[in-house]
Amino acid sequence: MENTRARVQIILQVNAADLFAISYPTEAEIKKFCEIEDDFGGSVSEGGKPITDFKTKVKKIKGLPGSGESNDTGYDISIDSIVMVNRPANINFFKRSTLLGNGGRYGEVSGRVKNKGLEDGDEYTYNINFTITQDETENSKSYSLDPKLQYRMR
């Protein structure tokens, strides 16, 4: 499938009530209550497939917005930042190694893929840092996940 659009949307789905109820969740517990998908044929992390195996294929000059959604009413998901962790040849996938969210309880992150130095098929691991806010109490908790981006020249 050829993506002619300028953006690839990544969506983080969270079973917020279950995750929020755990005082100090392990990495495995965080991943258990989260799924990631995109709108361009990225591998879906649901059904027991680890989030660390999720890959979004992104092309040169494409935008990458990221947003979060709760599967439970009464909780809001904010994407706080995307931070590059593994950079082949020490090259950033985006123009900056950290993309900051736009803030607030419904925060999203958006970035633009670099034009130079990326090799076809290179995989970049990144952390999605997100916050769950419980509507009733206004309490919030922060979490982190580590999926991958894969650069595609065509």
Side-chain angles (χ1 to χ4, degrees), residues 2 11 61 68 137:
E2 180 66 24
I11 300 169
I61 313 176
T137 64

Side-chain angles (χ1 to χ4, degrees), residues 49-83:
K49 188 171 189 175
I51 282 180
T52 51
D53 291 345
F54 176 82
K55 290 180 201 167
T56 294
K57 295 176 181 160
V58 183
K59 294 182 180 184
K60 187 190 301 188
I61 313 176
K62 298 293 181 184
L64 180 90
S67 63
E69 298 177 358
S70 174
N71 293 331
D72 303 305
T73 56
Y75 296 86
D76 300 317
I77 308 298
S78 172
I79 305 296
D80 302 319
S81 64
I82 293 177
V83 180

Side-chain angles (χ1 to χ4, degrees), residues 56-121:
T56 294
K57 295 176 181 160
V58 183
K59 294 182 180 184
K60 187 190 301 188
I61 313 176
K62 298 293 181 184
L64 180 90
S67 63
E69 298 177 358
S70 174
N71 293 331
D72 303 305
T73 56
Y75 296 86
D76 300 317
I77 308 298
S78 172
I79 305 296
D80 302 319
S81 64
I82 293 177
V83 180
M84 298 309 302
V85 176
N86 171 18
R87 301 174 298 173
N90 210 26
I91 295 172
N92 284 329
F93 192 82
F94 300 107
K95 295 188 180 205
R96 297 182 315 259
S97 61
T98 300
L99 302 175
L100 298 177
N102 58 6
R105 290 173 64 148
Y106 312 101
E108 297 182 347
V109 172
S110 186
R112 192 168 178 86
V113 178
K114 283 180 66 164
N115 294 330
K116 295 182 182 175
L118 302 176
E119 296 291 329
D120 189 42

Side-chain angles (χ1 to χ4, degrees), residues 3-31:
N3 182 8
T4 58
R5 293 172 299 130
R7 297 163 69 100
V8 174
Q9 176 78 33
I10 295 177
I11 300 169
L12 171 64
Q13 293 277 345
V14 182
N15 291 333
D18 292 331
L19 182 54
F20 198 85
I22 303 170
S23 295
Y24 301 101
T26 65
E27 183 178 352
E29 289 170 323
I30 294 170
K31 291 175 181 179

Side-chain angles (χ1 to χ4, degrees), residues 22-43:
I22 303 170
S23 295
Y24 301 101
T26 65
E27 183 178 352
E29 289 170 323
I30 294 170
K31 291 175 181 179
K32 175 182 175 184
F33 295 113
C34 296
E35 295 178 0
I36 299 176
E37 59 185 33
D38 69 30
D39 62 350
F40 181 54
S43 50

